[in-house]
Amino acid sequence: MYDSIVIGCGAAGMTAALNILRNGKTVLILEKEQIGGQIANSPKVENFPSIKAISGMDLSMQLFDQITDLGAEMELENVESVEKVGDIFKVKTDYNEYESKTVVVAVGAEHNKLKAKGIEKNGVSYCALCDGAFFNGEEVSVIGDANTALQYALLLSGICKKVNFCMLFDRFFGEQILVDKLLKKENVQIYKEISLEEVTGDDNMDGLNFRNTKTNELVHINSKAVFIAIGQTPKTDIFKDLVDREKQYIITNEFMETKTPGLYAIGDCRVKQVRQLTTAMNDAAICAFNLNKYLS
């Protein structure tokens, strides 16, 4: 029996664990993919106070080392169901079943997928940090218009011959400092108001067919790879009987409490205005404070 089970080992989940552990409680973290969650795939974090620049993976590992030193347990298992029986939560994974007095949902959000002909070909990726190095010296493309897409393009511009930055709309939606950096890159070409219709090539892609949303003109771009960054959606269906949701995002109050006593939601998976590293950690600190009060 644990005092708390945290579902998700991203920045929010680990920060919640940190503050729960510091109050002498026991914590189990369950994570289905990787330590750090989405931020681990970020090539460079530059908006974290007191640190000028750090890779998302390095930041994640520093936080992970901090919580394991305090006694956090972590298992790489996929949570399949959560139910509350009396005052106890039963959390079932693909390998085990655990019990706890509280549960913190910190599952973040998963990449939105594009629907286009040939989208399953080799060369289509949703993580430039993971796969960018495979296309060193090649011409590649990025689809998106916000911070993740901008970061992907900046990373790729340093290792690829050319980067095509492809946007559905006619403006950027990311931080201006990232936009300014991108516009200074000589090997980056910007395409606006185009929508992907097809990934061309055999098993390995060799290009992209877009449709101009204003002129209806077909636009072909040569590309050995495409990195897609068009937002994220949380996977929260397994909690639907325990929480209220809005477009799959979990609704909480200001204390990070859901409608089920003892069940909390933090970070990118909950309804909120700003989804950044610092706001995820802010959610986690508030959650841990109130969770510790609940346990007491």
Side-chain angles (χ1 to χ4, degrees):
M1 170 79 71
Y2 293 92
D3 289 315
S4 190
I5 289 178
V6 178
I7 304 174
C9 195
M14 287 193 285
T15 302
L18 171 68
N19 287 282
I20 297 168
L21 289 161
R22 285 173 60 83
N23 275 269
K25 311 301 182 185
T26 57
V27 177
L28 170 67
I29 302 177
L30 298 173
E31 168 60 49
K32 69 175 183 177
E33 290 182 346
Q34 64 177 0
I35 295 169
Q38 293 293 338
I39 197 64
N41 295 327
S42 180
K44 186 179 291 187
V45 176
E46 297 179 295
N47 62 348
F48 191 77
S50 80
I51 300 177
K52 288 184 178 181
I54 188 172
S55 74
M57 181 56 74
D58 286 344
L59 182 63
S60 299
M61 293 310 300
Q62 288 182 24
L63 185 52
F64 184 71
D65 288 344
Q66 187 176 12
I67 62 172
T68 51
D69 283 348
L70 289 172
E73 297 180 35
M74 202 274 280
E75 297 291 345
L76 283 172
E77 299 177 14
N78 182 42
V79 175
E80 296 181 340
S81 67
V82 178
E83 63 175 332
K84 190 176 184 183
V85 180
D87 292 331
I88 302 302
F89 289 93
K90 294 184 181 295
V91 181
K92 183 179 179 182
T93 73
D94 47 358
Y95 290 104
N96 295 293
E97 185 171 310
Y98 303 96
E99 293 185 346
S100 68
K101 300 173 185 176
T102 61
V103 168
V104 179
V105 180
V107 296
E110 296 185 5
H111 296 294
N112 291 337
K113 308 296 184 182
L114 268 180
K115 295 181 179 179
K117 186 178 179 181
I119 199 68
E120 302 301 326
K121 293 184 188 297
N122 295 329
V124 177
S125 173
Y126 293 84
C127 178
L129 184 63
C130 311
D131 302 324
F134 295 120
F135 302 95
N136 186 11
E138 302 284 359
E139 180 174 352
V140 301
S141 299
V142 173
I143 297 177
D145 51 31
N147 282 347
T148 300
L150 291 164
Q151 289 181 323
Y152 281 2
L154 288 169
L155 169 70
L156 294 165
S157 69
I159 60 176
C160 296
K161 178 176 65 176
K162 182 181 179 182
V163 178
N164 303 297
F165 194 84
C166 308
M167 304 162 54
L168 181 61
F169 301 104
D170 64 351
R171 60 181 290 259
F172 297 95
F173 292 91
E175 295 176 2
Q176 192 59 46
I177 190 169
L178 295 176
V179 174
D180 292 341
K181 285 182 178 180
L182 188 71
L183 294 177
K184 291 178 182 177
K185 296 291 184 179
E186 295 183 356
N187 64 335
V188 174
Q189 184 169 353
I190 310 294
Y191 292 87
K192 297 181 179 181
E193 299 179 315
I194 57 173
S195 176
L196 181 66
E197 289 194 346
E198 181 181 7
V199 179
T200 63
D202 297 322
D203 291 337
N204 298 316
M205 65 171 285
D206 60 16
L208 302 164
N209 285 337
F210 291 88
R211 183 72 60 179
N212 186 289
T213 58
K214 292 285 186 171
T215 66
N216 205 41
E217 174 188 4
L218 182 67
V219 180
H220 179 77
I221 297 175
N222 294 323
S223 188
K224 292 292 186 181
V226 59
F227 299 89
I228 301 170
I230 55 170
Q232 301 168 336
T233 301
K235 304 298 183 184
T236 58
D237 284 349
I238 64 172
F239 310 107
K240 61 182 173 51
D241 294 333
L242 299 172
V243 303
D244 292 322
R245 297 186 297 169
E246 181 180 300
K247 296 180 180 179
Q248 293 185 260
Y249 290 91
I250 297 173
I251 297 172
T252 72
N253 61 17
E254 63 181 306
F255 308 115
M256 307 302 143
E257 297 167 333
T258 68
K259 72 176 185 180
T260 300
L263 180 65
Y264 302 80
I266 58 176
D268 288 359
C269 67
R270 80 176 190 95
V271 174
K272 58 192 295 187
Q273 184 180 26
V274 180
R275 292 183 174 85
Q276 289 190 347
L277 184 62
T278 49
T279 64
M281 291 178 163
N282 175 70
D283 288 356
I286 294 170
C287 165
F289 178 82
N290 290 287
L291 183 149
N292 286 320
K293 284 177 61 179
Y294 174 87
L295 289 173
S296 298

